[in-house]
Amino acid sequence: MHTVTNRQLFFQHIAQTSDFPLGLEIERAEGVYLFGKQPDEVYMDLISGIGVSNVGHRHPHVLQAIQNQLDKYLHLMVYGEFVQTPQTELARALAQTLPPGLNTVYFTNSGTEAVEGAMKLAKRYTGRTEIISFFNAYHGSTQGALSLSGDENFKRNYRPLLPDIRHIRHGHWPDIDQISNRTAAVVMEVVCGEAGVRVPEAAYMQAVRQRCTDTGTLLIFDEIQTGFGRTGTFWAFEDIGPVVPDILLCAKGMGGGMPIGAFISSADIMSVFRNNPILGHITTFGGHPVSCAASLATLQVIQTENLHEQAEAKGQLFRQLLTHPAIREVRGKGLMLAVEFDSFDVLKPVIDRAIVGGVITDWFLFCNNSMRIAPPLVITEEEIRKACAVILEAIEYVTVPVD
């Protein structure tokens, strides 16, 4: 009798999102490592499942929190009706990491759902329709979030998308004047992720904040990739001076590997969902108690182990070690880095060779000549040195001619 392999099932029944999936078959994960079916298949995860596993895979504190919640209850009721301890404790813990004006949390299942909720909230609160985002920004794949994203290649085959979306250039000061008294919200990344980890000037961010204040526009910070310690502070916006958003978005690294997101604002702004119409935004599974329990544990691990405070020094070690004539630049903040090469044609074989050597990296949606490095925050100095040695060997293998 013919036995169908798991790999065959993957290609037969799992919807494919590209013609060249990595196709690694992983049996288990621990810390910064992924383990395949064979003893020699051990991979260091330098991208955290794309920004998710900030505290590493299967952190014991997160696993214990999940188990504890499993013994109590799973889903009980659609969002916002029952008092559920995992939600209330997590919301309080999040508020304690933030300025006083960001004290009311709406939990979602993902980052793109947080974006969608925030867009609705901004339009409902301001009574305006225009939303401004930035070229080369990525905010998700649902139709509203996709409308915000700033790359036409990802959008053209799905039009028509939402009307009244305007795109401006991130870091280009004259474009700030396009924010007007008809703008409901400006949605921006604190560090531009899929553009290849571009860190803006603090003065520019402060100018955007001031323009939003002057025009009555809500400022929405997308910290879906940067939040929960990735850049060296718990929230990336903490490091850009007196700039506080009206709405903050988070997801990815907040769940310790479980699906969860949130948009956070003031009680005053969030109150508009309560009437006209009632249930102005609703979700069945948002704020799932198991995901909330995992998220609270993740938050506590980051704080008690000071993982966010270690991120900058660990990032600097990557910068120090990754020197090679083929590397044009290493940029970023904390453990959110981009290693730039001349082209995708150089980078892709380096990534492939590194995987053979047991290190998983990637490129960026809107910057395909740069390697993504965003490992779990728990990565050690020894592991960083090992990973960089593999990457440098891969670069040599690809770029040095064979006699």
Side-chain angles (χ1 to χ4, degrees):
M1 181 178 178
H2 176 65
T3 302
V4 179
T5 68
N6 207 33
R7 179 174 297 276
Q8 288 172 319
L9 292 173
F10 174 81
F11 286 103
Q12 287 176 9
H13 298 297
I14 299 297
Q16 303 294 300
T17 57
S18 78
D19 290 328
F20 42 88
L22 285 174
L24 299 177
E25 191 169 344
I26 303 303
E27 292 280 291
R28 62 185 181 91
E30 195 85 33
V32 301
Y33 294 101
L34 308 177
F35 300 90
K37 297 187 72 173
Q38 303 303 319
D40 62 342
E41 292 177 340
V42 181
Y43 306 96
M44 192 183 299
D45 181 4
L46 281 200
I47 53 177
S48 302
I50 312 296
V52 169
S53 303
N54 284 19
V55 297
H57 296 277
R58 300 179 65 252
H59 191 286
H61 191 54
V62 174
L63 294 183
Q64 187 61 58
I66 290 171
Q67 184 60 59
N68 290 346
Q69 186 55 42
L70 291 179
D71 291 337
K72 296 174 183 175
Y73 54 83
L74 302 181
H75 176 75
L76 298 179
M77 181 61 167
V78 296
Y79 193 80
E81 296 296 331
F82 288 180
V83 178
Q84 299 183 54
T85 299
Q87 292 180 356
T88 58
E89 290 188 346
L90 175 58
R92 177 177 63 178
L94 286 168
Q96 289 173 343
T97 69
L98 291 164
L102 295 169
N103 57 16
T104 305
V105 183
Y106 196 115
F107 291 116
T108 64
N109 301 287
S110 65
T112 194
E113 289 183 41
V115 172
E116 296 283 347
M119 292 173 74
K120 285 178 64 178
L121 181 61
K123 289 197 280 189
R124 175 69 180 84
Y125 182 78
T126 63
R128 304 173 182 179
T129 58
E130 179 184 77
I131 298 180
I132 290 177
S133 60
F134 293 80
F135 292 109
N136 288 332
Y138 178 76
H139 297 289
S141 283
T142 50
Q143 292 196 72
L146 185 62
S147 302
L148 296 180
S149 293
D151 184 274
E152 183 59 26
N153 182 54
F154 278 80
K155 298 195 290 188
R156 66 171 60 95
N157 289 328
Y158 300 103
R159 292 192 178 278
L161 294 169
L162 288 187
D164 225 1
I165 304 293
R166 180 192 296 268
H167 291 89
I168 62 177
R169 292 165 289 184
H170 203 295
H172 189 72
W173 288 70
D175 284 7
I176 295 175
D177 291 340
Q178 295 187 46
I179 303 169
S180 72
N181 59 11
R182 66 176 304 272
T183 309
V186 172
V187 184
M188 66 188 309
E189 300 165 283
V190 181
V191 175
C192 303
E194 296 307 316
V197 192
R198 314 287 175 170
V199 182
E201 299 175 69
Y204 171 77
M205 302 292 280
Q206 292 161 11
V208 172
R209 170 68 275 181
Q210 188 59 53
R211 179 68 176 177
C212 287
T213 300
D214 292 344
T215 58
T217 299
L218 298 186
L219 178 59
I220 301 174
F221 278 170
D222 181 339
E223 291 231 27
I224 290 168
Q225 284 201 53
T226 54
F228 276 68
R230 172 61 53 193
T231 64
T233 49
F234 195 88
W235 303 103
F237 80 83
E238 295 176 45
D239 208 31
I240 55 174
V243 178
V244 178
D246 299 293
I247 304 172
L248 180 67
L249 312 179
C250 54
K252 283 190 178 288
M254 74 181 289
M258 293 292 287
I260 188 171
F263 55 103
I264 306 170
S265 190
S266 67
D268 174 57
I269 293 174
M270 204 72 84
S271 68
V272 298
F273 278 156
R274 296 163 65 173
N275 55 67
N276 194 25
I278 189 174
L279 304 177
H281 192 64
I282 193 165
T283 171
T284 296
F285 291 112
H288 192 282
V290 177
S291 292
C292 285
S295 182
L296 179 60
T298 298
L299 186 155
Q300 292 168 342
V301 166
I302 292 170
Q303 291 181 328
T304 58
E305 298 184 13
N306 296 316
L307 296 180
H308 53 309
E309 297 176 4
Q310 301 168 27
E312 183 59 32
K314 290 176 179 179
Q316 288 297 335
L317 183 57
F318 272 108
R319 291 170 182 264
Q320 174 189 325
L321 295 172
L322 290 176
T323 58
H324 189 278
I327 294 175
R328 298 293 171 243
E329 179 186 15
V330 181
R331 62 179 174 271
K333 198 165 183 59
L335 281 173
M336 185 176 180
L337 301 170
V339 183
E340 185 170 306
F341 294 82
D342 277 340
S343 67
F344 180 73
D345 291 337
V346 176
L347 173 60
K348 182 60 165 63
V350 172
I351 290 173
D352 292 343
R353 177 66 182 180
I355 292 175
V356 173
V359 170
I360 298 172
T361 64
D362 193 15
W363 62 93
F364 298 89
L365 288 178
F366 311 139
C367 185
N368 69 1
N369 68 331
S370 294
M371 175 186 289
R372 183 195 307 267
I373 293 183
L377 305 181
V378 296
I379 193 170
T380 65
E381 179 180 321
E382 180 183 353
E383 288 164 342
I384 292 171
R385 292 183 182 279
K386 177 182 173 184
C388 288
V390 171
I391 293 170
L392 292 171
E393 186 280 330
I395 296 171
E396 283 287 301
Y397 181 87
V398 169
T399 61
V400 175
V402 178
D403 293 332

